[in-house]
Amino acid sequence: MPQAMTDTALTLFNSLTRQLEPFEPVHPGEARVYTCGPTVYNYPHIGNMRAYVFADVLGRALSFKGYKLTHVINITDVGHLTDDADAGEDKMEKMAARRAQSIWDIAKHYTEAYWADVKALNIREPAHWSVATDYIDEMLDFAQQIAPKHCYELGSGLYFDVSTVADYGRLARAVTEEGEGRIEAVDGKRNAADFAIWRKTPAGETRQMEWDSPWGRGAPGWHLECSVMSGKLLGFPFDIHTGGIDHREIHHPNEIAQNQAFCGCGGLSDVANSGARLWMHNNFLVERSGKMSKSSGEFLRVQLLLDKGYHPLAYRMMCLQAQYRSELEFSWEGLGAALTRLKRLVMQAERLADAGVADLSTALVNPKFAPLIAKFDAAICDDLNTPIALTALEEALAVKKVDAAIKKAVVARMDEVLGLNLLGLSRPDLRICPKDAQITEAEIDEALARRKAARAEKDFAASDAIRDELITQDVEIMDGDPLGWEWKLGE
Ligand code: AMP
Ligand code: ZN
């Protein structure tokens, strides 16, 4: 087991108990985490990606504290309806029909697009990407085990009776204080909150994705998928289940109810009966105009940030500047400010390029670094307070008159948690270069070299001409730039 830097306990906010709780692993020395992944019917927006940056920082923090991490993120390729409750159409079927493509092709395309964003944001690969359609047999087993005591059949499917488990909806009530969230009526349901765990294909219809079951041909419900994959891969109870705050209303209460049924039906006064010891939720990324959407307004994808010339890690920086439980408002100015902050860090880290890396133990006893390491560790242990952790990293980079190898060890260790790739990036990586720019970076560098030569020879007419020529191509030369950046392309 890797050595933790200090003995401070990692404290995390449990949405189910509404309390900060010290992390106590189910299996000594291990941390098993399940994250609700994307439904691959469309590209993720950057708000969705905030959920995975959060889960990534959580995983990195657990590794940092010395736990052996097993992280699972699922890929939902069946069963998620356009409304989280039992209403609407299957998102995948709907997109496939609109595109006249097979669901499998749609799923492949958007899974790969999601993975590209994961990579761009320096999110670590989980131990397992569990794909829902790979677990149909296990879902049928799980459903058959809980059906006799907890489910009933209607014409449209097999439904879970939420009155058969204690404390149904506690997670939602903890949030709203008003019960079960939005629930659509389905004829014959015993309780408004009952939900389908198996949805039958309507008579006379065929669906692209359907399987035989004891309740007829059909497809699993979305909530069933996550219960089955998390239990199968991590074992009940596992340590932490994560998702965005919207999941506190329907998806996670329903997963919890199924897990209680599967595990022997204990109430939630023992949180482990929910299937996980901790339920953690990231707050939303919002736009000034309100909720982030894939259909209205500008579709804010990681690719759009890239097209506008921003390095994707500027967006990661933006996420880290807020604690995960705070709402975060996206704006292009905010993204620009995060980029500038990242540039400053990279400039300082570049000075360490030629240094070796000292053993971290030397930093822990160094009077300049020890307090900063303690500050960083305390911030991370305080429910992943990344805004404070970032300032500790900045202060470490700014320490003067120290052995560069020790500084490098500290920066590397802190950045293992924050994931900004500070020692891998260089200034040119962070220049704003929009996709539709008319000029290449090599051409800009070549023009700047000619301009430098002209200025050295005091040929200011020639140097001005080169600058004017660059301006017509949207290149702004930043002679007096305090960051020492030489140019940027217009936005
Ligand atoms: P989905 O693909 O719709 O299931 O969403 C993927 C993840 O993104 C889930 O954990 C959601 O809770 C989360 N999510 C959705 N919208 C936002 C948002 N605007 N900000 C942060 N997380 C979000
Ligand atoms: Zn889920």
Side-chain angles (χ1 to χ4, degrees):
M1 181 171 118
Q3 263 308 226
M5 267 165 119
T6 70
D7 299 333
T8 314
L10 179 61
T11 305
L12 300 168
F13 187 80
N14 189 347
S15 306
L16 195 50
T17 59
R18 277 187 285 175
Q19 279 174 359
L20 285 165
E21 293 173 7
F23 176 73
E24 282 162 10
V26 175
H27 305 272
E30 280 194 49
R32 302 187 185 184
V33 180
Y34 183 87
T35 294
C36 281
T39 304
V40 285
Y41 72 105
N42 201 341
Y43 297 108
H45 57 51
I46 57 173
N48 299 132
M49 295 313 294
R50 185 183 186 199
Y52 308 113
V53 170
F54 151 63
D56 180 53
V57 172
L58 172 66
R60 287 168 177 266
L62 288 160
S63 303
F64 173 70
K65 295 304 288 179
Y67 299 104
K68 179 177 165 292
L69 175 70
T70 308
H71 193 184
V72 177
I73 306 181
N74 74 287
I75 303 285
T76 297
D77 55 355
V78 64
H80 192 171
L81 301 195
T82 44
D83 189 294
D84 283 358
D86 285 323
E89 301 162 73
D90 185 296
K91 290 185 179 188
M92 300 291 301
E93 294 268 353
K94 187 177 167 193
M95 184 57 102
R98 209 166 93 190
R99 293 275 182 79
Q101 270 180 307
S102 87
I103 290 195
W104 306 100
D105 288 345
I106 298 271
K108 181 170 185 294
H109 176 77
Y110 291 113
T111 302
E112 281 168 7
Y114 165 69
W115 281 338
D117 289 357
V118 161
K119 196 158 183 245
L121 295 173
N122 203 21
I123 291 168
R124 296 197 304 189
E125 291 265 334
H128 306 275
W129 293 110
S130 60
V131 179
T133 49
D134 290 342
Y135 289 84
I136 301 294
D137 287 344
E138 287 85 349
M139 290 175 203
L140 290 170
D141 282 349
F142 187 109
Q144 275 175 286
Q145 276 198 52
I146 64 171
K149 279 196 187 159
H150 300 277
C151 302
Y152 57 94
E153 212 174 324
L154 295 178
S156 53
L158 181 71
Y159 284 80
F160 189 97
D161 179 341
V162 299
S163 69
T164 61
V165 291
D167 308 319
Y168 175 76
R170 174 174 286 188
L171 184 66
R173 270 193 292 280
V175 179
T176 62
E177 301 288 351
E178 63 189 30
E180 295 137 350
R182 297 164 297 132
I183 303 291
E184 291 286 326
V186 170
D187 277 351
K189 269 193 193 181
R190 294 180 188 163
N191 312 285
D194 291 353
F195 54 92
I197 67 171
W198 187 265
R199 204 168 281 111
K200 297 183 200 177
T201 306
E205 276 183 32
T206 32
R207 299 165 54 126
Q208 285 196 42
M209 280 188 174
E210 53 180 14
W211 295 264
D212 286 325
S213 85
W215 314 282
R217 243 177 125 62
W222 174 42
H223 317 304
L224 179 67
E225 300 172 8
C226 282
S227 280
V228 169
M229 291 186 282
S230 60
K232 186 85 198 163
L233 289 164
L234 299 175
F236 291 130
F238 55 92
D239 293 300
I240 306 178
H241 195 309
T242 83
I245 45 169
D246 51 331
H247 288 345
R248 293 182 306 193
E249 287 175 43
I250 295 172
H251 184 45
H252 288 174
N254 291 353
E255 266 190 73
I256 289 171
Q258 293 168 152
N259 297 350
Q260 282 175 275
F262 188 79
C263 296
C265 226
L268 297 181
S269 48
D270 179 356
V271 175
N273 289 328
S274 71
R277 281 211 178 150
L278 279 148
W279 292 77
M280 294 180 69
H281 297 93
N282 64 280
N283 208 326
F284 267 28
L285 180 77
V286 296
E287 288 181 81
R288 204 154 295 170
S289 55
K291 200 171 174 256
M292 190 148 295
S293 154
K294 299 186 187 190
S295 49
S296 63
E298 198 170 37
F299 184 176
L300 283 168
R301 292 170 49 196
V302 170
Q303 188 59 46
L304 181 68
L305 273 45
L306 295 172
D307 290 349
K308 292 200 180 220
Y310 291 92
H311 195 284
L313 291 179
Y315 175 63
R316 186 174 174 109
M317 170 63 101
M318 193 174 185
C319 292
L320 296 176
Q321 290 182 150
Q323 205 261 0
Y324 74 91
R325 283 198 285 135
S326 315
E327 191 170 273
L328 173 61
E329 184 178 303
F330 177 81
S331 68
W332 292 103
E333 304 82 63
L335 185 66
L339 178 67
T340 301
R341 191 169 183 193
L342 181 60
K343 281 177 177 175
R344 282 185 208 281
L345 293 182
V346 167
M347 274 178 60
Q348 286 172 308
E350 272 185 341
R351 296 194 196 125
L352 304 171
D354 298 330
V357 186
D359 194 286
L360 201 66
S361 56
T362 55
L364 288 169
V365 294
N366 181 293
K368 289 185 176 159
F369 287 117
L372 295 176
I373 292 171
K375 175 178 170 179
F376 182 88
D377 189 79
I380 292 299
C381 288
D382 180 17
D383 197 23
L384 312 178
N385 193 333
T386 50
I388 303 287
L390 264 174
T391 63
L393 171 58
E394 277 167 335
E395 288 166 43
L397 270 165
V399 170
K400 299 219 164 46
K401 297 192 186 126
V402 283
D403 180 349
I406 299 181
K407 188 190 267 195
K408 196 166 179 175
V410 173
V411 170
R413 192 79 167 106
M414 291 180 175
D415 198 29
E416 259 173 52
V417 184
L418 298 176
L420 290 169
N421 192 20
L422 292 183
L423 295 166
L425 287 173
S426 64
R427 293 177 202 208
D429 296 332
L430 296 177
R431 285 175 178 154
I432 294 185
C433 293
K435 186 181 77 171
D436 51 10
Q438 303 295 315
I439 185 166
T440 66
E441 288 188 44
E443 287 165 343
I444 296 172
D445 285 339
E446 185 271 329
L448 285 177
R450 279 192 288 118
R451 178 167 177 266
K452 203 170 168 190
R455 282 161 70 106
E457 286 170 24
K458 304 220 179 320
D459 184 352
F460 295 112
S463 116
D464 285 353
I466 295 167
R467 190 195 59 203
D468 291 348
E469 174 57 30
L470 285 170
I471 286 172
T472 64
Q473 292 176 292
D474 274 345
V475 181
E476 192 188 332
I477 300 179
M478 301 158 81
D479 282 330
D481 175 19
L483 286 184
W485 248 253
E486 288 160 340
W487 55 264
K488 75 171 187 184
L489 270 164
E491 288 143 61

